Amino acid sequence: MKPTNQLREAYGDDIILYDDREQSVVYKLLAEFRLGDQGYAVLQHERAKKEDEPEIFRVTPGEDGELELETIDDDDEWENVSELYDEMTFPQDDVL
């Protein structure tokens, strides 16, 4: 896993997405990283509480070259990326 800054450099710390009713929703960009050849972004809804889980998206280049966020539909991929983000955010101590 390698940290990246592509989204942050392009859009800053706030990412605006649109829900299914075409309403804009502001998310905070918590982290972005590459795992192999695939990029991922971890976003937190600005109104979310601290204990709410952040959302994880796949980052892909669009046809026009702009970065796009995609929902991760594959459960195994989502679980793998989620666990890696948790390890990055909450490192485990090997000493008991």
Side-chain angles (χ1 to χ4, degrees), residues 13-24:
D13 289 333
D14 295 331
I15 307 288
I16 298 172
L17 301 178
Y18 293 89
D19 63 15
D20 53 357
R21 296 178 305 198
E22 296 301 317
Q23 299 290 321
S24 63

Side-chain angles (χ1 to χ4, degrees), residues 3 8 16 23 58 68 85:
R8 187 164 275 121
I16 298 172
Q23 299 290 321
R58 187 182 303 123
E68 296 180 359
Y85 173 69

Side-chain angles (χ1 to χ4, degrees), residues 7-88:
L7 287 172
R8 187 164 275 121
E9 289 173 2
Y11 304 107
D13 289 333
D14 295 331
I15 307 288
I16 298 172
L17 301 178
Y18 293 89
D19 63 15
D20 53 357
R21 296 178 305 198
E22 296 301 317
Q23 299 290 321
S24 63
V25 180
V26 178
Y27 288 83
K28 289 285 185 197
L29 178 60
L30 300 180
E32 58 182 298
F33 53 90
R34 293 194 73 71
L35 183 58
D37 293 334
Q38 184 58 61
Y40 296 95
V42 181
L43 306 177
Q44 181 84 46
H45 187 284
E46 71 172 0
R47 293 186 206 135
K49 298 175 183 168
K50 294 266 187 199
E51 61 272 3
D52 288 345
E53 289 287 319
E55 297 186 42
I56 301 173
F57 294 91
R58 187 182 303 123
V59 180
T60 58
E63 290 182 19
D64 57 2
E66 283 197 37
L67 298 173
E68 296 180 359
L69 297 175
E70 297 177 354
T71 302
I72 301 172
D73 294 326
D74 181 271
D75 291 339
D76 291 335
E77 178 184 8
W78 188 91
E79 187 68 32
N80 185 35
V81 173
S82 177
E83 285 178 14
L84 287 171
Y85 173 69
D86 285 347
E87 288 175 13
M88 183 174 72

